[in-house]
Amino acid sequence: FVSAMFGLLIPGQPPLINFQQVAQGGGLVIQVENADRIHEIGFFLLPGQVMPTGTMGVLYVSLPPYSEWVKVASISNEMPSVISVVKWRSPPGNGISCQFGISPEVMQPNALIPYAPTTGT
């Protein structure tokens, strides 16, 4: 994946498209401030972009120290956008930043069905 393929939309903020390439595996990451204000997110393939055949982009989120990643959503050429609720495993504190990561993964059956919440909250 290249950094100019995807975008994120957090309500009340401009679209985010400035992902940084992660050295291993072709993944991408972006730092976002005020994680406590993020409850839903739009994840999309930018116009004119195409993912390699048989792959999907999977969106993950992590809080400091960025050692545990939680799956949020996935998109593909056949389903190029999704809106998902962000369910935190534990609530982020006020003003805490988070990272969203995009991982290239092999398309799986039923992989584009929205993910179940990670907590009961």
Side-chain angles (χ1 to χ4, degrees), residues 81-107:
S81 66
V82 66
I83 297 173
S84 293
V85 173
V86 178
K87 294 286 189 176
W88 303 102
R89 289 191 182 200
S90 59
N94 290 341
I96 296 293
S97 62
C98 67
Q99 288 184 348
F100 283 96
I102 301 172
S103 173
E105 298 184 15
V106 174
M107 182 67 75

Side-chain angles (χ1 to χ4, degrees), residues 36-119:
D36 58 305
R37 297 181 187 168
I38 302 171
H39 304 288
E40 59 221 357
I41 192 161
F43 175 39
F44 55 95
L45 194 58
L46 292 174
Q49 298 298 314
V50 178
M51 287 188 269
T53 302
T55 63
M56 60 183 185
V58 182
L59 181 67
Y60 293 89
V61 68
S62 185
L63 294 170
Y66 310 117
S67 58
E68 182 179 348
W69 292 84
V70 177
K71 194 178 290 186
V72 177
S74 62
I75 59 174
S76 69
N77 292 328
E78 295 75 27
M79 188 175 134
S81 66
V82 66
I83 297 173
S84 293
V85 173
V86 178
K87 294 286 189 176
W88 303 102
R89 289 191 182 200
S90 59
N94 290 341
I96 296 293
S97 62
C98 67
Q99 288 184 348
F100 283 96
I102 301 172
S103 173
E105 298 184 15
V106 174
M107 182 67 75
Q108 300 292 323
N110 301 317
L112 300 176
I113 295 172
Y115 295 103
T118 56
T119 68

